[in-house]
Amino acid sequence: MNALQHWLLSLIVFAPLVGLLILAVLPSRKTSWHRTIGLLAMLPSLALCIYLYQRLDNGASGLQWTQKVEWFHIGEMKLFYHLGVDGLSAIMLLLTASISLFAGIASLYITTKTKLYYSLLLLLEVGVLGVFASQNLLLFFLFFEMTLVTLFLLISGWGGLEKKKASYMFLLYNGFGSAFLLFAIVGLLAFTSTLELDQIKAVFAQVDLGGLPPEATTFVWGIFLSFMIAFAIKLPVFPFHTWMLKVHVEAPPPVVMIHAGVLLKMGAYGMIRFGAGLFPTLFAQIATGLMILGLIGILYGAVLAFSQKELKSVIAYSSVSHMGILVIGLASLTEAGMQGAIYQAVSHGIISALLFFLVTSLVERTRTTELIELGGLAKQLPILSGLLMVGAMGLLGLPGLSGFVSEFIAFLGVYQVNPQIAIIGSLGFIIAAAYTLRALLKVTYGQAVTRFQHVQDIQVREWLPMLLLVILSIWMGIDPDWIGNQLQQTIQIGG
Amino acid sequence: MMFTWAWVLPLFPLIAFVLLIALRDVIEKRLAVALSLIGIGVSFGFAVYLAWIGVFQQSVIQTAKYQWFSIGGKPLYLDFMLEPLNIVMVFLVSLVSLLVQIYSMGYMKDDARIITFYAYLSLFTSSMLGLVISANLLQIYFFWELVGLCSFLLVGFWYFKPEAKEAAKKAFIVTRIGDIGLLIAIFMIFQKVGSFDLRVIQDAVGSGVLTGGALTTVAILIFVGAVGKSGQFPLHTWLPDAMEGPTPVSALIHAATMVAAGVYLVGNLFFLFAGSEVALTTVAYIGGFTALFAATIAVTQNDIKRVLAYSTVSQLGFMMLGMGVGSVYASSFHLLTHGFFKALLFLAAGAVIVALHHEQDIRKMGGLWKHSKWLSIPFLIGCLSIAGIPPFSGFFSKDEILYAIQLSGKKDLLVIALLTTFFTAFYMFRLFYLVFAKKSREKHEVHSIPWSMKVSLAVLAVCSIVGGFFSFPTTNLSAETITHITKLPGHAPLWLNGSAVGASLLGILLATFLYVWRQGSAEGLAKRLSWLYQVSYRKYWIDELYQVVFVSSLKVVAWFLNGFDRFVVGGIVRFVGWGTMSIGRLGSMMQNGQNQTYVLVSLIAFLILFVSLVFGRLIG
């Protein structure tokens, strides 16, 4: 038991590497084997994440399931391999493990270079899991970079027509983000002489930021803002969203499931963990500005989603809008707002995964996502259309699905501190209905397009995982406490 | 009496929905319909039982509450209420739903997707039942939106029809505009009171936590929600378009579900309105205006269902007017009787449409009186009832509203109400004569009507006749209740009864004159009053106005932002990208290879380093 206590997180994070090793020795022609191994290798992490989540002690403050081993030292300074979780990390780990598996399942139409593809997918999973489990900043940074490189390769290797451009734009933006992140980490190291998250937190808890000399204040602000910019690019916060649109449209849809479902949430996680968590007073000072950026994102994304001519772009801009809701919830610094923001991260993860899974299956059948070329698919593809309807309802925040709970709670929190922003932001709900229905009805309603007369509806291996995602969304929409209970500690830190 | 089973009311139709959707490809049609009928039947059984206990025996029914989830550490509860208003709504909703489902067995029997249709009907009923028993604002909003979803699904049921698609979209978006009002009201209440619980909110109003301007704002915002759902001006435009759905759906939406929700909400949350004169006046005038406005449109419409749709808008305005002058009793009574006779009218109209091979234009109808008494008599009962002719149910409830207006002393509203009564009688009998009386211009072979449709029509016809003789249940004032429903003091004066019936008779007389005695004179009149006719026929150009003001302006903003996103935000990116690329090119003059290879190599190197560092330390 004790060994498991220590090793559980490492097992979760590195279990997919077993699959990587097996894949390495497989011949490159055996496509179906690659897929099987890839999927199997994702299962242990998921199972262990579920176990961990259930066994999490809701009442305990601080980290659980920690593993801290001395790693190496540079001069006097010791660096630790330190993993650990609280409620927030645990829910993000669970989300990552499940969305990765769903993305793996959705990859069934990837037929080229499958060996490399599944290897990269596994590496990506390791990276994201590592990000959410790390309690040491160097470790965090390494995992963070790992996701960046693997995603770059996945986009450039299996993307759409403009994959080159998209992958470089991705690298460029996230490279900038990483630079800020690195600067912040080095700055913290200089300021606190440690990279251990809990020790840094302890240092800042004792420092009176108001009483520092001006240079030091500037320095701390610099660190804080670097963190915020790095994660604002990742989330993305308006106006840093351009790269994300390109990735949504050009990356292979199963990879977008992970990208939209989990990777963007690293931005939210970082803001909560490092922004609000380490620098609560500074965070409070920029909160109003952040809220305004979030508000712009909500409306800007929604209006643009309304004018897109292509399905993936609609979803991409809607992500900008939904991440805006996350930002205003976070920046409200209320318990409800924080809870809503985290819920939004999870809910958006589930719903985007569902939508891009559907897009995967749709593209395979229609070979296009241009809205003008689609229409009346409900006749030929009733199951796909039905699930698309559910996904769309999730997107526009219908009660009963996860999106409503998260958005409602976030707005409730925002209203408590800034009613104007909540009221203006709620216009987003109307525009969300407009852009979602416009796209949905264009695809599935109306006269059937003759070109698609012979397409086959989706099969069990596609609709069953989609249905699972739907059930997850409904479960969270009706009984959100299964997430909320684990989050009490995190929410209170923010509040 | 304690009734802890309130949650089963919406449960059974919900189960029916899930089963039907899941099994729609494998189950037999008749079994599916049976399942659906059982689901709603059980709910109706409970409704009868509750009506027996709560209305006839007048016991106060207590309900249980359950912990739901928590927001910011505050627990929320699933909470129910079964006061007389709720029980009446439960009864109306489940009865009309049951009849509509029976009716649809005949009406939809040739539709390939009948199982899906029944599934949606069941979900609709379930959501509406959930709505009318909720005692918690968040819970109300939850079902409120689900009701909206179901109307969207059913209005767009024939998804391949472009008009149905547009109508469904419009229904959803327009009502959502209203929903945002309700949503903001909920935020505001939570901020002031810290709870969604109606009982707590009521206490807060009583103890002065929520008063003055805040209370007025909250009440008006809630009314905005009701305006959207109940098709009040200026958010009425979706309702007539919703006629694109199958006719049984129209009956359900217009009589018992969707549109009733708004009036019900105002009635159920009346304690919020009661404390604010401004809010009440707003409700009264919006309601009164809508009543007259819609009635004047109905006068010139030529689609049988559209006439009925505008009459619904008008009647709902009438109910809102009643609420606004302070009588939940009168309005709820009218909501109930209207539920009966409007369902009857729609189902009868559906039978007419079926009988005439899906013809909906009343100018092409005529002479049906002789063909089928099963069509004409129920329709006539509906017309007499809505026109407010005694002893039909509409007379009694309309009378109460008029009396309430008179008691409030608002003379202008009384004039509006009487004018509405006149127009209502006129357009209903115009419709009746055009469909049933005059000679048909085109020879139709009339279809026979299946028994299932006859049963529903007969039950609703009986309800429309006798409904008025029961008085609406009032609340037991000694008990702690949320809605206070009290009878109006005394009786309406005779002159009021007289002028109401007189206005109706005048309307009927005019219709008889124009469409029976001097057939064809109506066209002449329309030509002479051409601009008036156009204003009414074109529905005051509201749709066109909205198209320009809202839809087009959103498109323009979108177009503008699209350019901004592409050229300004994207331009900065390109500039930075170009800069980086240039530096990159400089670098690559020294090494020429593929970038991807380099990245791959560095990735692998990085991994080896990482893994060896981690595991080397852990193991060694």
Side-chain angles (χ1 to χ4, degrees), chain B residues 356-375:
Chain B
L356 298 180
H357 308 266
H358 294 275
E359 178 58 67
Q360 298 197 10
D361 191 333
I362 50 176
R363 288 168 302 184
K364 295 179 184 162
M365 298 179 183
L368 273 182
W369 180 261
K370 276 181 245 144
H371 280 290
S372 173
K373 293 286 174 284
W374 273 106
L375 290 179

Side-chain angles (χ1 to χ4, degrees), chain B residues 221-235:
Chain B
L221 284 170
I222 285 176
F223 181 60
V224 170
V227 163
K229 272 279 191 288
S230 287
Q232 298 296 289
F233 179 85
L235 298 179

Side-chain angles (χ1 to χ4, degrees), chain B residues 12-41:
Chain B
F12 281 92
L14 183 68
I15 293 174
F17 162 73
V18 173
L19 284 178
L20 261 58
I21 280 290
L23 304 175
R24 63 181 171 178
D25 289 332
V26 289
I27 201 172
E28 221 187 301
K29 275 184 189 174
R30 300 175 69 167
L31 181 60
V33 172
L35 277 176
S36 181
L37 284 173
I38 291 171
I40 179 67

Side-chain angles (χ1 to χ4, degrees), chain B residues 254-268:
Chain B
H254 285 243
T257 52
M258 190 79 176
V259 300
V263 179
Y264 161 80
L265 186 74
V266 176
N268 203 32

Side-chain angles (χ1 to χ4, degrees), chain A residues 161-226:
Chain A
L161 292 174
E162 290 189 41
K163 56 187 176 188
K164 264 247 158 69
K165 204 173 155 195
S167 56
Y168 281 106
M169 191 185 265
F170 167 77
L171 203 61
L172 189 69
Y173 259 92
N174 285 274
F176 270 111
S178 297
F180 279 106
L181 187 58
L182 191 62
F183 172 78
I185 291 175
V186 173
L188 272 186
L189 181 63
F191 196 80
T192 62
S193 0
T194 173
L195 285 174
E196 283 296 298
L197 198 52
D198 43 5
Q199 288 173 17
I200 295 172
K201 210 176 251 174
V203 170
F204 275 106
Q206 284 165 5
V207 173
D208 172 24
L209 286 177
L212 288 176
E215 315 87 76
T217 313
T218 319
F219 189 61
V220 173
W221 266 104
I223 297 172
F224 168 66
L225 288 179
S226 300

